[in-house]
Amino acid sequence: MIAKAHAQFSHGQMCKNTIDVATKSTIALDFNHSYVTKGYNPTPEDVTSAVDVNANIGGDDIRIVNVKSNTTILKTVCAFLANGKRNSSINEKLTKLSQNSKRRLREEKMNELSGKINPKTLEQLRKKTKFTKDELDALCRIYRKLVSNCQFANKTLTVSSSGAAIVKPQQQEGIERIVFRELLHSTFDIVTEEILMERMFCSWDKSHEGLPLRLDGWLVGLSVFLRGTRNEKAAFCFRVYDLNGDGFITKDEIFTLLRNSLIKQPQDEDPDEGVKDLVEIVLKKFDIDKDGKVSLNDFMMTVDKEPLLTEAFGQCLPAESAIISFFSTLQV
């Protein structure tokens, strides 16, 4: 049987050829390095850019392939595929690292909730604080109890004007203001004005000012509070007295602090006048550079000469007896 097939090839020019096939054997015709084959699949070394044209001759399929001699495109394709494999491998590694990181965070969260800390975290906290490992274990248990008290307080129901029960919104986990104040008052005998207690809470953890105290911030702040150096404690007191957190203790802030800490006498006609006079005296004492306000440097230089002035504007450090009593109660 004789069949005819027409094909067009592009290899610098267009040509049209008629192929007669009388047998089923493989036929190849050379047209400017183009090949007509029956059942022929060129090897990768021969083919770099190919356009397949299928035809049917005598009931059998033939493939017409345009082959170039160079291998540039094939190498490019191979390089692209290899690069894709490398990218896939990198993505798999990144995914695995992300999963491992999330798993570690979950484990640390569970340990924190249970009052336990892993050895690596324990060693990091030991370096950041002045506590021993046994003391840190005991303090972590105390932290867990304090957080539980905060969670219980958050679940307290309040009643709206319509009589419906409303649950307080869930806050970020940690030691909150109410529990913090109660702890300082009952455990460390800190009896001070509300404004100072609020500032102590905000100054406890410098990196998360005003937020509930997390484990790391709680322990680092407690280390300064109980075992800090004189300079560390003085710097803490300065942050407490800096009511607006601008880095200076101004005359108005000194007035507010002293007015709240002084006991008013019934016979005083205008107690604020006496406070203003006292503010002027204190400011002259602390204002080393005479700019009308107390900087951290002014404060540190003054208390270095006269340590008793560290708490000049109100109590914000525990007595030595309270510190000794606290550590004696730790189960270490």
Side-chain angles (χ1 to χ4, degrees):
M1 177 184 292
I2 297 177
K4 292 185 178 180
H6 295 274
Q8 290 184 342
F9 298 86
S10 174
H11 189 72
Q13 62 180 350
M14 300 298 295
C15 61
K16 184 175 181 180
N17 302 281
T18 301
I19 305 168
D20 292 338
V21 179
T23 68
K24 293 184 178 181
S25 59
T26 301
I27 298 176
L29 300 178
D30 189 346
F31 296 97
N32 295 326
H33 302 291
S34 296
Y35 296 91
V36 180
T37 65
K38 176 184 175 183
Y40 172 70
N41 290 313
T43 62
E45 290 76 9
D46 296 329
V47 181
T48 59
S49 176
V51 179
D52 292 348
V53 178
N54 294 323
N56 186 277
I57 303 177
D60 294 316
D61 292 329
I62 68 167
R63 180 177 295 167
I64 303 172
V65 185
N66 183 26
V67 182
K68 293 183 179 179
S69 59
N70 69 75
T71 60
T72 303
I73 299 178
L74 180 58
K75 291 180 179 179
T76 303
V77 172
C78 292
F80 175 78
L81 294 176
N83 186 57
K85 291 180 179 179
R86 286 196 296 271
N87 290 339
S88 177
S89 177
I90 292 173
N91 290 335
E92 290 177 0
K93 291 179 180 179
L94 291 176
T95 301
K96 188 175 182 179
L97 288 174
S98 177
Q99 292 173 347
N100 291 338
S101 177
K102 290 180 180 179
R103 183 169 61 253
R104 285 196 299 269
L105 289 175
R106 285 195 300 268
E107 291 174 354
E108 291 176 2
K109 181 72 173 179
M110 292 176 65
N111 289 334
E112 183 177 318
L113 291 174
S114 62
K116 300 178 182 179
I117 48 179
N118 61 57
K120 184 178 180 180
T121 303
L122 185 66
E123 181 61 24
Q124 291 174 345
L125 289 172
R126 191 187 65 79
K127 293 178 180 179
K128 289 180 180 180
T129 66
K130 295 178 173 66
F131 300 128
T132 65
K133 290 184 178 181
D134 290 338
E135 289 171 341
L136 286 170
D137 280 330
L139 292 171
C140 286
R141 291 194 295 269
I142 293 175
Y143 171 83
R144 186 66 255 158
K145 292 178 181 178
L146 294 173
V147 171
S148 297
N149 292 340
C150 294
Q151 292 173 339
F152 177 79
N154 284 336
K155 292 179 181 178
T156 302
L157 297 179
T158 58
V159 180
S160 65
S161 57
S162 62
I166 301 176
V167 180
K168 292 182 178 180
Q170 182 68 33
Q171 303 293 326
Q172 178 181 332
E173 185 181 87
I175 300 174
E176 296 185 2
R177 286 170 168 80
I178 296 176
V179 174
F180 177 84
R181 293 169 186 170
E182 180 60 28
L183 173 70
L184 263 59
H185 176 71
S186 61
T187 305
F188 300 109
D189 298 327
I190 302 295
V191 182
T192 188
E193 291 294 323
E194 182 70 18
I195 188 172
L196 274 183
M197 193 67 77
E198 172 64 18
R199 284 301 304 158
M200 289 179 68
F201 177 79
C202 293
S203 303
W204 198 270
D205 183 5
K206 292 184 292 184
S207 58
H208 298 86
E209 183 172 335
L211 297 175
L213 299 174
R214 300 299 299 271
L215 178 61
D216 189 271
W218 156 250
L219 292 174
V220 172
L222 193 64
S223 177
V224 173
F225 188 69
L226 300 177
R227 288 181 174 166
T229 64
R230 187 169 67 180
N231 285 342
E232 288 174 339
K233 290 183 176 181
F236 172 71
C237 291
F238 178 84
R239 292 198 303 273
V240 172
Y241 300 147
D242 180 15
L243 300 182
N244 63 0
D246 66 350
F248 297 95
I249 303 174
T250 63
K251 183 182 293 188
D252 290 340
E253 288 173 333
I254 295 174
F255 178 83
T256 301
L257 292 168
L258 293 179
R259 182 180 61 182
N260 291 336
S261 61
L262 294 177
I263 300 176
K264 297 179 181 179
Q265 299 297 329
Q267 63 271 20
D268 293 340
E269 294 182 0
D270 188 1
D272 286 351
E273 287 298 323
V275 175
K276 291 178 181 178
D277 294 337
L278 185 58
V279 168
E280 294 296 332
I281 296 172
V282 171
L283 188 59
K284 289 180 181 179
K285 186 72 175 179
F286 279 91
D287 187 13
I288 303 298
D289 56 8
K290 308 302 179 183
D291 61 351
K293 54 189 176 182
V294 181
S295 65
L296 176 60
N297 185 56
D298 292 337
F299 189 84
M300 298 298 286
M301 290 178 64
T302 302
V303 301
D304 185 59
K305 295 177 181 178
E306 300 184 50
L308 292 177
L309 293 177
T310 301
E311 296 179 88
F313 306 124
Q315 183 190 12
C316 47
L317 293 173
E320 188 64 29
S321 58
I323 296 175
I324 295 173
S325 176
F326 173 75
F327 280 108
S328 66
T329 61
L330 290 181
Q331 299 175 2
V332 296

